[in-house]
């Protein structure tokens, strides 16, 4: 565990167990040099504690990089709640998690993520003020989708010389809150969609509403398309899938899309343009951070739209240096965090 923390540059890792509610939760704080760590709370089934720890650490690091490149006054953190296997009271469990968040005295601000919803944030908020995405703040998913849409337009501009998505073929993996909202935006922009999800009802809805073609979940990697758009869970670009991709661009909302950094190089060597996930999907984090700081909706929308310019500029940098885009993005994020760390130590 300590080796994992050192490798990821994690500051600290916190555990909380509440036998009365069945809560078993982990909060990973990557850094707080630029401000309080911020990141969502994931509520899913894990095979074991080690898998939950690994997920929390990787996601917290990604949130730090995301906050740094988005220019937000935050470090990165992430919470995971291991979904109980037996009966449990969800409301009580979330309230207990609120005590956990509050015990960190503002070093971590929680938000929605996979498996959590607005009502969960409302319950968490009963016991802590260090929470966003409550009923009075709103759902970050539409902002994430808007940011990814802007990033896809930046990607097509760089690769095809146009932001017009009419008849651009997009293979979209995952039709959750963000994936579905993004599919709607893409359909309205004239894109042709091929979709896949393990939930057959979501697939049926997408085919009906967006005139999408459906394929089995494992077949989405093989679809010949202009863009592969991963919007599910992470590590989906790995040694088993990277050579199956038949696209010009990879751009989607999923976190930690690359199983490891070498997969970014594999994409680059194959001539596939990769939109680093923590840059293109930063719209949700921008929303929750600026909502928590009580910014106006217009300023939030403008900040989300700026993902287009940030990504286009990163592509140009990567092209000039002849290096994978994820290498350039990682270097930029580490530089920002390192400078903040130096500033913090000098101030101390």
């Amino acid at each position: 565990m300590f080796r994992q923390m050192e490798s990821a540059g994690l500051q600290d890792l916190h555990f909380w167990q509440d036998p009365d509610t069945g809560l078993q939760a982990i909060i990973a704080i990557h850094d707080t040099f630029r401000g309080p760590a911020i990141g969502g709370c994931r509520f899913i089934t894990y095979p074991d504690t080690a898998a939950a720890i690994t997920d929390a650490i990787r996601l917290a690091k990604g949130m730090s990089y995301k906050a740094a490149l988005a220019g937000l006054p935050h470090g990165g953190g992430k919470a995971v709640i291991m979904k109980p296997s037996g009966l449990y009271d969800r409301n009580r469990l979330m309230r207990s998690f609120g005590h956990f968040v509050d015990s960190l005295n503002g070093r971590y601000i929680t938000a929605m993520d996979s498996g959590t919803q607005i009502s969960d944030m409302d319950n968490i908020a009963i016991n802590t003020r260090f929470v966003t995405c409550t009923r009075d703040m709103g759902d970050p998913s539409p902002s994430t989708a808007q940011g990814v849409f802007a990033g896809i337009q930046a990607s097509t501009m760089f690769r095809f010389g146009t932001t017009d998505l009419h008849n651009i073929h997009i293979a979209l993996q995952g039709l959750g809150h963000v994936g579905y909202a993004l599919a709607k935006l893409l359909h309205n922009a004239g894109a042709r969609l091929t979709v896949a999800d393990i939930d057959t009802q979501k697939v049926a809805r997408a085919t009906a509403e967006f005139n999408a073609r459906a394929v089995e979940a494992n077949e989405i990697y093989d679809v010949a398309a202009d863009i592969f758009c991963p919007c599910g869970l992470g590590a989906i670009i790995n040694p088993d899938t990277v050579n199956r991709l038949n696209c010009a661009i990879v751009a989607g909302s999923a976190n930690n899309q690359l199983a490891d950094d070498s997969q970014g190089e594999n994409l680059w060597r194959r001539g596939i343009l990769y939109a680093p996930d923590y840059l293109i999907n930063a719209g949700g984090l921008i929303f929750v951070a600026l909502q928590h700081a009580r910014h106006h909706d217009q300023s939030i929308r403008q900040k989300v739209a700026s993902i287009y310019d940030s990504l286009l500029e990163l592509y140009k940098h990567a092209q000039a240096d002849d290096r994978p885009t994820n290498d350039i993005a990682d270097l930029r994020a580490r530089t920002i965090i390192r400078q903040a760390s130096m500033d913090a130590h000098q101030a101390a």
Side-chain angles (χ1 to χ4, degrees), residues 15-212:
F15 298 85
W16 187 279
Q17 176 172 289
D18 179 6
D20 290 338
T21 63
L23 176 67
Q24 292 182 326
I26 301 163
I27 294 176
I29 295 178
H30 184 265
D31 83 83
T32 54
F33 299 123
R34 305 180 71 245
I38 191 168
C41 172
R42 183 163 286 193
F43 183 48
I44 61 176
T45 300
Y46 288 94
D48 50 46
T49 304
I53 291 171
T54 297
D55 205 25
I57 291 174
R58 293 184 71 229
L59 289 166
K61 179 180 177 181
M63 294 304 293
S64 272
Y65 284 20
K66 189 181 300 188
L69 291 186
L72 298 173
H74 290 283
K78 207 74 174 184
V80 299
I81 298 176
M82 301 179 68
K83 196 169 188 177
S85 56
L87 295 175
Y88 63 94
D89 185 323
R90 184 173 182 129
N91 293 340
R92 290 184 63 231
L93 184 143
M94 292 299 169
R95 290 170 192 164
S96 180
F97 178 72
H99 284 300
F100 182 17
V101 173
D102 205 59
S103 73
L104 299 179
N105 299 313
R107 295 189 70 241
Y108 166 68
I109 300 168
T110 198
M112 281 173 56
D113 202 293
S114 300
T116 52
Q117 53 202 25
I118 289 176
S119 60
D120 296 327
M121 300 301 111
D122 288 341
N123 275 296
I124 292 167
I126 291 173
N127 291 317
T128 186
R129 60 188 175 89
F130 304 114
V131 56
T132 72
C133 304
T134 55
R135 195 164 304 280
D136 64 335
M137 293 183 183
D139 183 352
S141 299
S143 292
T144 305
Q146 286 285 354
V148 175
F149 181 81
I152 287 174
Q153 288 187 307
S155 302
T156 59
M157 172 55 75
F158 185 81
R159 177 50 57 92
F160 305 135
T162 181
T163 59
D164 184 1
L165 300 184
H166 187 71
N167 276 333
I168 294 290
H169 185 191
I170 300 175
L172 193 149
Q173 178 192 51
L175 292 164
H177 290 303
V178 176
Y180 211 90
L182 178 60
K184 184 175 183 178
L185 292 172
L186 294 169
H187 171 70
N188 290 342
R192 292 188 296 116
L193 298 178
T194 298
V195 300
D197 194 290
I198 58 173
D199 188 329
T200 56
Q201 289 184 333
K202 291 178 180 177
V203 171
R205 184 182 167 199
T207 57
E209 290 188 18
F210 308 137
N211 195 30

Side-chain angles (χ1 to χ4, degrees), residues 299-312:
S299 66
I300 294 174
R301 286 193 293 269
Q302 289 174 346
K303 186 72 170 174
V304 171
S306 72
I307 289 173
Y308 176 95
D309 293 324
S310 297
L311 194 53
L312 195 58

